[in-house]
Amino acid sequence: MIQIPSWELIKKYDRPGPRYTSYPTAPEWSDAFGPKDYEEHLARADAQGGPLSIYVHLPFCREMCRFCGCNVIATHDRTRAESYLELLEKEVELVAKRLPRRRTVTQLHWGGGTPTFLDERQLEQCHALLARHFDFAKDGEQAIEIDPAITTRSQIETLAKLGFNRISMGVQDFDPQVQETVGRIQGFKETAELVQAARDYGFHGVNLDLIYGLPFQSRDTWQKTLDLILEIHPDRMAVFGFAYVPWSKPHQRLLPQEALPKTEQRVELFLQAVEAFTSGGYRLIGLDHFALESDELARAQDAGYLYRNFQGYTVRPAADTVAFGMTSISDIGGAYAQNAHKLKDWGDKVSQGIIPVERGASVTDDDVMRRFVINRVMCLLKLDLREVAEKFGSAARKAIEADLSKGVAELQGDGLVTFDGELLRVTPLGQLLVRNVAMLFDAYLGKHAGEKKPTFSRTI
């Protein structure tokens, strides 16, 4: 069970830090990495063989939620999706022809934005343009993110017919004042009905997303939201700490800063969720996910094959992810490659027959090793140095031992980890601060020390 840290410990470890959905993290990527570099890594990935994961970014939303940290386009004009899908198919063609030997897909994820901004016909069009170039494995995972406030039962039925079997719904908070403040209005009834619709149509994984740290959240209002979530009884929940980053997301300045919960209150809200959900039959997975003990996330954690990527914690069956759409990020052939952020820039490049990558990074052998180490800490809450040596050699073990020598004694003294010289374990207290533990192995963090503008959100 998660333990409550002291206020002194909270203050000590509440600092900017990565969420480690990638390593190296995005600030280390460079615009010197472009389309030609990406093509080289696609060729490398094609030669390696094996199945793929695909991510599709569908950026449109009807409204801009004031808490949002995603790359979205707010519009009520559904016809904008038409031209987007036309360009999307051209991008898929550009990439697919460079992967002639890798067309089997075992994991598909549509994110946004709000993918169900697309109507039924457009959803079918988007899936079909992918199916013309890739083959979806019969036992694969097809997941989609939706906004319950704009999604219909008919859309759920269409998605099920297309082969989608996992669905994630953004709830954030059911309290009316919180919803009004953040610009995200949706009711319990419509959310519960959509969850039931997903189950009726055969979705075997339903996830609900919550956010703590939003303006006007209190223990009483938050408890009501948690109780309603338990009444819906999803398979999984993700409970994210609100990342207040107005320097990079200017629309967050519309939020009343004085109403944001302070650090100690944020911790209390998260621990309240831990208490409610673990008492309700869920397991806390890593940093911020909860899953029923029968869910494959829990089974994967026990078996040691749980991963963390841009969609959070996942059971990842493919070694490479190719991504399509503006701002989307591929992780393929030993590189991260991000598409153009602006819709016009992305569209112009695709129209010219140019793969629309505008930044990225080739991953070094040291990066691969450290990504493995950080993944073990963030996902399995442990790190075995013998496993590091077995996978990467004695020099890699020595490098990690050097990192441990600089900080593990302090982490042990504060009760966040135990270490016997071979096995590092994150304690129940340390699980709340697992980002801080993982930061010990990040070779790039020193570059950002003392920066006036924070590079990352705060760890608590």
Side-chain angles (χ1 to χ4, degrees):
M1 182 65 187
I2 290 285
Q3 298 175 5
I4 300 175
S6 67
W7 179 232
E8 289 71 25
L9 209 60
I10 291 170
K11 288 191 291 185
K12 178 178 179 179
Y13 286 98
D14 182 28
R15 64 188 71 156
R19 293 179 184 266
Y20 291 116
T21 51
S22 70
Y23 185 87
T25 56
E28 313 311 325
W29 305 349
S30 168
D31 57 10
F33 185 104
K36 292 297 182 184
D37 301 285
Y38 184 45
E39 290 178 21
E40 291 176 7
H41 286 278
L42 285 172
R44 184 184 304 176
D46 188 60
Q48 289 171 348
L52 289 170
S53 291
I54 287 180
Y55 173 78
V56 180
H57 189 72
L58 299 166
F60 302 104
C61 289
R62 286 189 188 175
E63 308 289 344
M64 173 67 80
C65 300
R66 296 180 193 122
F67 60 82
C68 185
C70 301
N71 293 291
V72 306
I73 297 169
T75 178
H76 283 249
D77 182 5
R78 226 169 194 165
T79 63
R80 296 189 66 179
E82 297 291 340
S83 58
Y84 187 85
L85 292 177
E86 291 175 6
L87 289 166
L88 190 69
E89 177 148 29
K90 291 180 181 179
E91 184 191 0
V92 171
E93 290 173 350
L94 287 171
V95 173
K97 71 181 183 181
R98 292 171 172 84
L99 293 168
R101 289 170 287 189
R102 294 192 72 178
R103 296 296 180 88
T104 300
V105 176
T106 53
Q107 187 178 53
L108 173 68
H109 190 103
W110 290 5
T114 304
T116 46
F117 177 90
L118 277 61
D119 62 26
E120 289 86 345
R121 181 186 61 80
Q122 292 167 336
L123 291 170
E124 291 172 348
Q125 180 184 349
C126 188
H127 198 272
L129 69 86
L130 294 167
R132 278 193 285 274
H133 300 280
F134 295 96
D135 300 316
F136 295 106
K138 290 183 179 180
D139 59 348
E141 176 182 294
Q142 296 193 43
I144 187 169
E145 302 168 12
I146 73 165
D147 175 359
I150 72 164
T151 305
T152 65
R153 186 179 180 92
S154 176
Q155 286 174 305
I156 299 292
E157 181 181 12
T158 297
L159 291 167
K161 289 179 179 177
L162 292 173
F164 284 89
N165 47 35
R166 286 199 173 277
I167 196 164
S168 183
M169 305 185 189
V171 173
Q172 325 318 343
D173 193 303
F174 279 126
D175 181 72
Q177 184 182 21
V178 175
Q179 290 190 357
E180 181 70 31
T181 303
V182 302
R184 179 67 173 259
I185 310 298
Q186 69 187 69
F188 166 76
K189 182 174 182 291
E190 62 193 343
T191 304
E193 287 176 349
L194 275 182
V195 170
Q196 187 58 51
R199 288 175 170 150
D200 291 344
Y201 288 115
F203 283 78
H204 61 72
V206 178
N207 175 81
L208 299 182
D209 287 344
L210 301 176
I211 295 180
Y212 67 93
L214 295 173
F216 298 112
Q217 283 181 329
S218 68
R219 287 188 61 85
D220 290 342
T221 64
W222 184 235
Q223 188 61 51
K224 291 177 183 177
T225 290
L226 300 177
D227 291 342
L228 291 172
I229 295 296
L230 285 169
E231 187 175 332
I232 295 174
H233 200 65
D235 302 289
R236 302 175 184 174
M237 285 88 69
V239 184
F240 300 116
F242 172 49
Y244 184 60
V245 287
W247 55 86
S248 63
K249 301 295 178 182
H251 59 271
Q252 291 186 353
R253 294 175 187 149
L254 297 171
L255 296 172
Q257 189 173 358
E258 71 281 358
L260 291 169
K262 302 298 185 285
T263 300
E264 191 170 17
Q265 293 172 292
R266 285 170 60 96
V267 173
E268 290 174 351
L269 292 170
F270 181 70
L271 291 173
Q272 199 176 342
V274 172
E275 172 62 28
F277 293 149
T278 54
S279 298
Y282 294 85
R283 181 196 298 189
L284 175 60
I285 303 290
L287 174 66
D288 47 23
H289 281 46
F290 294 82
L292 292 170
E293 290 291 344
S294 57
D295 188 86
E296 65 177 345
L297 276 187
R299 297 199 304 271
Q301 187 177 51
D302 289 340
Y305 60 90
L306 184 67
Y307 298 90
R308 185 164 173 81
N309 62 17
F310 295 108
Q311 283 72 57
Y313 288 97
T314 182
V315 179
R316 186 179 176 187
D320 291 301
T321 298
V322 60
F324 301 106
M326 59 173 280
T327 79
S328 64
I329 301 171
S330 298
D331 173 6
I332 188 164
Y336 293 109
Q338 184 166 28
N339 279 353
H341 277 68
K342 293 182 179 179
L343 179 61
K344 185 178 186 305
D345 294 342
W346 171 78
D348 286 348
K349 288 183 178 180
V350 172
S351 296
Q352 296 165 26
I354 301 171
I355 291 179
V357 166
E358 70 174 12
R359 65 196 291 260
S362 297
V363 178
T364 67
D365 290 343
D366 186 69
D367 293 333
V368 172
M369 182 271 290
R370 291 179 182 276
R371 178 164 62 177
F372 172 84
V373 167
I374 290 171
N375 189 85
R376 282 293 194 252
V377 172
M378 294 289 293
C379 297
L380 306 184
L381 304 174
K382 64 181 180 181
L383 175 67
D384 192 329
L385 295 184
R386 291 162 294 194
E387 186 180 27
V388 174
E390 181 181 335
K391 281 184 169 291
F392 302 101
S394 58
R397 172 174 174 146
K398 289 178 181 178
I400 296 304
E401 285 178 330
D403 292 334
L404 288 167
S405 69
K406 297 172 186 175
V408 73
E410 184 176 21
L411 294 174
Q412 280 185 292
D414 290 331
L416 306 188
V417 302
T418 62
F419 182 56
D420 62 5
E422 297 282 359
L423 183 64
L424 177 80
R425 286 191 179 276
V426 179
T427 66
L429 176 63
Q431 190 169 0
L432 180 65
L433 302 165
V434 68
R435 287 165 70 182
N436 298 81
V437 178
M439 286 161 63
L440 187 63
F441 308 105
D442 189 329
Y444 296 95
L445 278 184
K447 292 169 51 179
H448 304 290
E451 291 180 344
K452 291 183 179 180
K453 184 182 289 187
T455 304
F456 306 104
S457 62
R458 302 189 76 82
T459 56
I460 297 178

